[in-house]
Amino acid sequence: MRQTLYLAARYLAFHRIKTAILITSITLILYLPVGLRVLVAQSSERLTARAMATPLIVGAKGSPLELVLNSLYFGSDVPEKMRYAESIRIADSGLALAIPMYTRFHSQGHPIVGTGFEYFRFRGLQVESGRQIAMLGECVLGSRVAATLGVGPGDSVVSSPENVFDLAGVYPLKMHVVGILAYSDSPDDDAIFVDLKTAWVIEGLGHGHQDLSAPEAASTVLSREGGKVTANASVVQYTEITPQNIDSFHFHGDLSGNPVTAVIAVPPDQKASAILQGRYQGEGEKAQIAHPVTVMDELLDTILTVQSFVVAGAIVVGAATLASAALVFMLSLRLRRREIETLFKIGGSRRAVGTVMVSEIVAVLLAGVILAAGLTFLTSQFGSVVIRALIRM
Amino acid sequence: MIRISDLEFDYGEGDFRLRIPELNAERGSSVAFVGPSGSGKTTLLNLIAGIVTPRRGTIEAGEVDVTSLSDGARRDFRIRNVGLIFQEFELLEYLSVLDNILLPYRINPSMRLDRDVRERARDLAGQVGIADKLSRHPDHLSQGERQRVAVCRAVLPEPSLLLADEPTGNLDPANTERVLDILFDFAGRSRATLLTVTHERDLLPRFERVIDFKKFHASERGAAS
């Protein structure tokens, strides 16, 4: 048996390209439907779990899916903005705890989430090293962000500028890292958290600049009328908030008019939840309220439908590929007729010659099965990483 | 010794018929089979090797009547007693030279492939001048080298009967001489009977006996002894 297996192995090794193609085909035939199922099962679990932990999300009217994905996973598709006043309105109604979120900006590919302390309590996020945010311009990092960027408390991260040619737009803000969150196996691990006001500073709605009443700023002042000072573009704007310049930071206008992308609403009971949802059913209402579980279920239905089509397609392609592989084996047997005759002539028994041929087929099938199993295992281990990446795209 | 009597063979279809009333070959002798294509030379080698069975008659190799053996027993007889050499060499392209020489041991579970056998294979390769090509594959060898590999494969199990079907048909004169030297040398040393099919009249003086198959062809009858 060992010798016949050796002959089979030599044949497969000599025809390594043909062997590799056959093994790859069989691997894909087996892996595609199984791996897809594992991936979909994992994504269902993850999507549902995060959605189930989030009772209601209020946002500007538009795509509820975009709103939910951005609020739960900080996806790159930013929903329509709404005024911070909506958060105040929910809180004032007493129908729910209101957690405002502003997730528009990024730093080195990681989302910057502007929110309040309630968010950390709501998600059960703990600071593992350092401390919580205490002042404007500070941030705490999700564990994966800290690991990826190699930063910790005492370091700093800079928000990415949205458009370098937009003078009135978003300037990069250097934020001080004061804490690292404990690993939570959630999208929060990939986010940078700042106070809502810091997010507005990044937006350009709050800023700090040199004191225009100081003598060294005289050259930048264009006019003074009563309390109103007009300066030219050479006035020094701060791109970092420090204890020395924090007093110069200020917001123009009413904060309630500033933007948020969503408000997570956490009603104390079903009744409050129903009343709150009812308030957003009016025709003139500019905001929408989304039930994350319902939205994610609809998304999963779509995914499952797509999966069914893909699996059906994979089965058809798999059957065709298997038929082709069988044809390759049969043609190969025809081409090897002389070789088989030689083996018989020099004394090979039917069983021994058959064992060589069958071993080749079994080895190819086995290699395909093992590779498919390996890929499925990798999918089960790292599928969630792929899902996270897909959701954030 | 080979003793054939009253042998009759056909393929069931077509006109081919081989009839050999009597043919004997002493142990250790060298016999050349000559004759036109289709006269049954190769068929006789296959009959003696037990690859095909006759319709009638007997073939005795030493004490064994090959024609009375079962399929499995004929295969055993072939493994233990017969070395086959083909005109087209019939080497396996996916095996190295060494593995081709060892092939009878790899394909026959009843033959034990041990260190001694490997050593003998290397020695044989050295004797025929291919010791430095053991790890190569047949498609990297010349025609002469390939036939030398085929000869090594045939003689490695030390058969008492060497059946060579036009072993030099594809070789140039120099390689022809070399391969025949190897065959005669082995047959002489081990007292093996060498039966060779050939179309090359120039080689016939090297054989002890020459049997012309014209007389066995079709319905013609004759005898050889």
Side-chain angles (χ1 to χ4, degrees), chain B:
Chain B
M1 115 168 241
I2 299 292
R3 222 181 352 252
I4 296 171
S5 60
D6 204 17
L7 187 77
E8 214 174 290
F9 175 83
D10 62 56
Y11 285 105
E13 293 175 354
D15 296 334
F16 178 83
R17 263 181 189 72
L18 178 69
R19 290 191 185 117
I20 303 176
E22 194 179 0
L23 190 154
N24 296 320
E26 294 302 319
R27 168 138 200 192
S29 62
S30 60
V31 182
F33 293 160
V34 295
S37 295
S39 58
K41 304 181 295 292
T42 301
T43 304
L44 181 58
L45 293 189
N46 287 338
L47 283 161
I48 295 171
I51 294 167
V52 290
T53 50
R55 177 185 287 274
R56 210 156 70 93
T58 58
I59 301 169
E60 290 175 46
E63 302 299 312
V64 181
D65 177 3
V66 180
T67 53
S68 67
L69 300 176
S70 65
D71 274 3
R74 271 187 282 124
R75 198 180 61 246
D76 269 355
F77 161 78
R78 196 155 64 241
I79 291 167
R80 300 191 186 289
N81 300 289
V82 181
L84 280 167
I85 301 157
F86 310 95
Q87 182 183 2
E88 300 290 338
F89 324 134
E90 307 298 350
L91 302 177
L92 304 196
E93 57 165 357
Y94 57 88
L95 295 181
S96 68
V97 165
L98 181 61
D99 282 335
N100 264 294
I101 295 173
L102 294 171
L103 188 59
Y105 287 83
R106 292 205 185 278
I107 198 66
N108 298 312
S110 60
M111 296 171 82
R112 192 171 142 76
L113 176 55
D114 55 24
R115 187 181 289 178
D116 285 349
V117 175
R118 286 177 199 276
E119 277 308 307
R120 275 199 292 117
R122 287 178 199 281
D123 285 347
L124 273 172
Q127 286 169 32
V128 301
I130 51 170
D132 57 336
K133 297 181 168 65
L134 287 177
S135 57
R136 290 198 190 171
H137 284 261
D139 52 353
H140 291 108
L141 300 179
S142 68
Q143 298 282 84
E145 287 168 338
R146 283 186 216 183
Q147 191 58 302
R148 277 180 265 160
V149 176
V151 170
C152 288
R153 181 180 67 189
V155 303
L156 182 65
E158 299 180 323
S160 58
L161 193 54
L162 263 180
L163 305 180
D165 190 0
E166 298 192 52
T168 57
N170 282 327
L171 304 181
D172 57 42
N175 273 310
T176 296
E177 283 302 316
R178 191 162 191 180
V179 165
L180 281 181
D181 286 347
I182 297 163
L183 285 175
F184 277 98
D185 181 52
F186 169 78
R189 275 192 287 114
S190 59
R191 275 196 32 84
T193 308
L194 174 63
L195 305 181
T196 306
V197 170
T198 183
H199 281 116
E200 294 165 277
R201 296 274 165 185
D202 297 351
L203 307 180
L204 298 183
R206 297 194 61 163
F207 291 87
E208 292 168 11
R209 286 177 58 209
V210 176
I211 296 173
D212 193 336
F213 269 55
K214 266 183 195 165
K215 58 185 169 186
F216 303 135
H217 192 219
S219 59
E220 287 179 32
R221 280 179 173 271
S225 59

Side-chain angles (χ1 to χ4, degrees), chain A residues 275-317:
Chain A
I275 296 169
L276 187 64
Q277 288 181 69
R279 287 194 176 179
Y280 289 91
Q281 304 305 316
E283 277 188 15
E285 188 58 56
K286 289 181 182 170
Q288 65 169 325
I289 189 160
H291 190 226
V293 173
T294 310
V295 173
M296 295 318 289
D297 279 348
E298 283 169 9
L299 176 64
L300 286 175
D301 282 347
T302 309
I303 291 173
L304 287 173
T305 308
V306 172
Q307 182 208 352
S308 306
F309 281 115
V310 173
V311 168
I315 287 169
V316 172
V317 172

Side-chain angles (χ1 to χ4, degrees), chain A residues 4 10 20 27 49 53 170 206 225 295 300 302 334 345:
Chain A
T4 46
R10 295 314 310 158
T27 302
V170 177
E225 284 177 34
V295 173
L300 286 175
T302 309
R334 279 182 78 98
K345 281 181 179 175

Side-chain angles (χ1 to χ4, degrees), chain A residues 208-212 217 220-221 231-238:
Chain A
H209 49 74
Q210 67 184 126
D211 184 3
L212 295 179
T220 68
V221 175
N232 64 24
S234 67
V235 67
V236 177
Q237 295 238 23
Y238 300 124

Side-chain angles (χ1 to χ4, degrees), chain A residues 206-351:
Chain A
H207 58 190
H209 49 74
Q210 67 184 126
D211 184 3
L212 295 179
S213 62
E216 59 269 24
S219 61
T220 68
V221 175
L222 296 174
S223 67
R224 290 179 196 272
E225 284 177 34
K228 187 180 173 188
V229 181
T230 307
N232 64 24
S234 67
V235 67
V236 177
Q237 295 238 23
Y238 300 124
T239 55
E240 180 181 4
I241 303 169
T242 63
Q244 289 74 38
N245 69 16
I246 191 165
D247 290 339
S248 75
F249 274 82
H250 54 277
F251 293 87
H252 297 279
D254 183 5
L255 289 184
S256 66
N258 284 351
V260 290
T261 47
V263 177
I264 294 176
V266 189
D269 51 39
Q270 284 289 333
K271 186 180 170 189
S273 172
I275 296 169
L276 187 64
Q277 288 181 69
R279 287 194 176 179
Y280 289 91
Q281 304 305 316
E283 277 188 15
E285 188 58 56
K286 289 181 182 170
Q288 65 169 325
I289 189 160
H291 190 226
V293 173
T294 310
V295 173
M296 295 318 289
D297 279 348
E298 283 169 9
L299 176 64
L300 286 175
D301 282 347
T302 309
I303 291 173
L304 287 173
T305 308
V306 172
Q307 182 208 352
S308 306
F309 281 115
V310 173
V311 168
I315 287 169
V316 172
V317 172
T321 312
L322 271 183
S324 305
L327 192 66
V328 168
F329 280 121
M330 283 195 295
L331 287 174
S332 170
L333 283 183
R334 279 182 78 98
L335 289 171
R336 295 171 70 186
R337 208 164 63 187
R338 273 184 71 163
E339 174 198 333
I340 293 168
E341 276 175 15
T342 303
L343 292 176
F344 282 132
K345 281 181 179 175
I346 63 172
S349 65
R350 264 176 217 290
R351 190 173 168 187

